[in-house]
Amino acid sequence: MVIFFLIILFIILWALIDFKLGRHFHIKRILKQEFPFRKSTITLFNTGQKLYDDLFQQIEKATKHVHILFYILKDDKVSEAFLELLMDKAKQGLEVRLLLDRIGSNKLSKKKMKELRENGVFFTFCHIPKFPFYFYSLNERNHRKISVIDGKVGYIGGFNIGREYIGQDPKLGDWRDYHLRIEGEGVQDLQKQFLHDWEDSTKERLHLNDLYFPPLLTGEILHKFVPTDGAYLQHIFQELIQTAKEELIIGTPYFIPGKTIFNDLIEAANRGVVVKIIVPMKADHFFVREAAFPYFKQLLEAGCKVYRYYYGFFHAKVIVKDGQICDIGTANFDKRSLYLNHEINCLIYDQPFVQLVKSTLEKDLDFAEELTLEDLKKRSLLQRGKEKISTILSKFL
């Protein structure tokens, strides 16, 4: 028994040291990245079926190359149809590259990987856990979702590939998420980011090849992409919060902001900003819902509004500031996205489009229940106990 506890203690100590040193060396080597302002045509999708219909159609129409990066690809009929489409395009002679996060897409079988490669798809995993900092690298995941078709059409947002994202998981119901289609100048930046991640995983340098960067038209919507690699996302969120003057709407499936951003939200409310936070009523992972509750009491007392979306699962990652700027991307409003995951967000500065996003969020609020201080008082001892555990684990949820 003593030996057992010593082994457990050793594993815990090793994990703590591994994580701390891994984080230290990661921060030392990364640089802040930011693409320039671009003008593109942008389309908003908030249902998986409409996104899949559009994405699959664009892939079918591709004539040169298809580049796909997802965090999660499930082992189901939807994923199977997606992979069959990619293999069909590769057999037609197109360059097809598929990049998946090793942990997020762990359901992909060796048989399917072999089939993809045998049918001409260039496939690899990214962010494979490795030594010397195995525990840290296990948690440092590529959470980006990027699709680029012929270098002319790009996609970015919260959807992955699987049946749950089109509402076919009975436990979660309808899936609400926000995803963007980009046509115009901005596509080159999505292409650059994909090729950067591809090089990071394969050592294959493709970003200087003009083949992947065709001439692009200028659109009407001003925007810029901001990739983050486990750092600097906090600065983006803070700037939006600290400069808000009238209203701040935050949609996120996981609300675990940490002390610094939490204090910024309280200060915003204290200076008169209307702060609205939309989170899901349901949970798709253990403890993530409970991890949000320790923040809610002070937010409500400061005058913030918290709404819980009950019509299915709310997975959108979106911030709207003063009806003038919005942020849509892959990053959740939680510690994992802030300090561990590799993400990419799109800041949009076009007022008509921002108003479209805001009105879409307001429609989602029609299917959300406002949380009150009275609701918090009614929490059971079991619920409160789970919140204590979730607070301890919050960095890794």
Side-chain angles (χ1 to χ4, degrees):
M1 184 62 72
V2 174
I3 293 175
F4 173 77
F5 281 112
L6 286 174
I7 292 173
I8 294 298
L9 180 61
F10 172 78
I11 292 173
I12 293 172
L13 288 173
W14 165 75
L16 291 172
I17 294 170
D18 175 298
F19 187 87
K20 187 171 182 179
L21 287 176
R23 179 67 179 168
H24 171 75
F25 284 107
H26 176 72
I27 292 298
K28 281 186 69 174
R29 67 182 176 85
I30 64 169
L31 298 173
K32 185 177 181 180
Q33 301 180 72
E34 195 167 306
F35 288 110
F37 285 100
R38 305 288 192 188
K39 282 192 172 183
S40 301
T41 299
I42 303 180
T43 305
L44 174 68
F45 295 95
N46 62 0
T47 65
Q49 192 61 63
K50 288 184 178 179
L51 171 66
Y52 287 0
D53 289 346
D54 194 85
L55 174 60
F56 282 38
Q57 183 182 53
Q58 290 296 327
I59 293 174
E60 287 173 352
K61 291 164 57 178
T63 60
K64 293 182 174 62
H65 34 83
V66 176
H67 292 160
I68 305 290
L69 163 59
F70 277 108
Y71 175 61
I72 294 174
L73 188 141
K74 296 285 188 176
D75 180 20
D76 57 26
K77 291 183 178 179
V78 174
S79 300
E80 180 67 26
F82 181 70
L83 295 177
E84 286 292 334
L85 176 58
L86 295 184
M87 287 188 283
D88 286 345
K89 298 307 292 186
K91 284 185 282 188
Q92 291 172 22
L94 279 70
E95 292 186 24
V96 179
R97 292 180 174 83
L98 175 62
L99 184 59
L100 301 174
D101 182 84
R102 186 64 185 91
I103 301 300
S105 296
N106 62 74
K107 299 294 184 183
L108 190 68
S109 67
K110 290 184 179 179
K111 180 180 177 182
K112 182 55 68 175
M113 294 179 217
K114 182 180 178 183
E115 185 181 353
L116 285 166
R117 289 167 177 146
E118 287 178 345
N119 282 279
V121 175
F122 298 104
F123 166 75
T124 190
F125 281 118
C126 56
H127 285 219
I128 300 172
K130 57 188 176 182
F131 290 99
F133 307 115
Y134 185 86
F135 185 70
Y136 182 81
S137 64
L138 181 70
N139 282 281
E140 184 194 6
R141 299 167 194 168
N142 192 329
H143 195 244
R144 293 192 261 262
K145 298 98 179 168
I146 296 173
S147 300
V148 184
I149 318 300
D150 285 339
K152 296 179 179 179
V153 181
Y155 296 83
I156 173 183
F159 282 102
N160 288 290
I161 300 293
R163 70 186 184 97
E164 69 193 65
Y165 306 108
I166 54 174
Q168 293 184 4
D169 185 333
K171 294 181 180 179
L172 296 173
D174 285 345
W175 188 279
R176 177 66 84 217
D177 219 325
Y178 288 17
H179 216 95
L180 304 174
R181 182 180 72 195
I182 312 293
E183 296 174 272
E185 293 180 341
V187 179
Q188 63 188 297
D189 297 330
L190 291 179
Q191 185 78 290
K192 288 174 185 175
Q193 187 59 55
F194 174 87
L195 294 177
H196 168 82
D197 288 347
W198 183 262
E199 180 183 347
D200 189 51
S201 303
T202 67
K203 308 307 177 186
E204 186 179 10
R205 295 175 61 84
L206 302 173
H207 65 279
L208 298 179
N209 191 332
D210 291 340
L211 172 69
Y212 306 114
F213 298 95
L216 298 170
L217 298 175
T218 301
E220 296 182 352
I221 297 177
L222 183 67
H223 66 95
K224 69 175 175 180
F225 293 109
V226 184
T228 53
D229 297 340
Y232 302 113
L233 177 62
Q234 175 178 307
H235 302 162
I236 298 168
F237 285 175
Q238 282 190 283
E239 184 176 357
L240 290 169
I241 297 167
Q242 292 173 0
T243 58
K245 296 179 180 178
E246 298 175 1
E247 183 183 54
L248 196 66
I249 307 175
I250 299 169
T252 180
Y254 319 120
F255 184 81
I256 315 173
K259 185 177 180 180
T260 301
I261 291 180
F262 173 71
N263 289 337
D264 287 337
L265 289 172
I266 296 293
E267 290 176 11
N270 289 339
R271 66 175 183 268
V273 177
V274 176
V275 178
K276 298 177 182 178
I277 300 165
I278 310 171
V279 295
M281 181 82 73
K282 299 180 179 181
D284 66 335
H285 294 294
F286 288 119
F287 293 117
V288 289
R289 178 177 55 187
E290 287 75 20
F293 274 83
Y295 298 99
F296 287 157
K297 185 174 184 292
Q298 278 186 259
L299 288 170
L300 294 180
E301 289 175 340
C304 301
K305 302 287 186 181
V306 176
Y307 300 89
R308 295 192 291 169
Y309 183 87
Y310 57 77
Y311 191 71
F313 186 70
F314 188 85
H315 193 252
K317 304 98 163 50
V318 56
I319 302 173
V320 177
K321 187 193 83 168
D322 294 337
Q324 302 290 324
I325 301 173
C326 76
D327 171 46
I328 295 176
T330 69
N332 298 308
F333 211 84
D334 68 354
K335 292 179 181 178
R336 173 167 286 283
S337 285
L338 286 163
Y339 309 118
L340 281 171
N341 287 346
H342 292 216
E343 310 279 4
I344 184 167
N345 283 28
C346 183
L347 292 166
I348 302 173
Y349 303 85
D350 178 80
Q351 189 169 353
F353 190 88
V354 174
Q355 288 300 319
L356 169 65
V357 174
K358 182 180 177 181
S359 66
T360 305
L361 277 168
E362 288 171 344
K363 289 176 183 176
D364 288 339
L365 284 174
D366 291 338
F367 299 95
E369 177 184 282
E370 185 173 352
L371 184 69
T372 66
L373 287 168
E374 191 62 31
D375 294 327
L376 294 179
K377 292 177 183 177
K378 294 177 182 177
R379 289 170 5 259
S380 66
L381 286 175
L382 177 61
Q383 170 76 11
R384 294 169 192 264
K386 290 172 73 176
E387 289 169 19
K388 294 291 186 183
I389 297 172
S390 68
T391 299
I392 297 171
L393 302 174
S394 62
K395 186 177 290 187
F396 305 105
L397 293 177

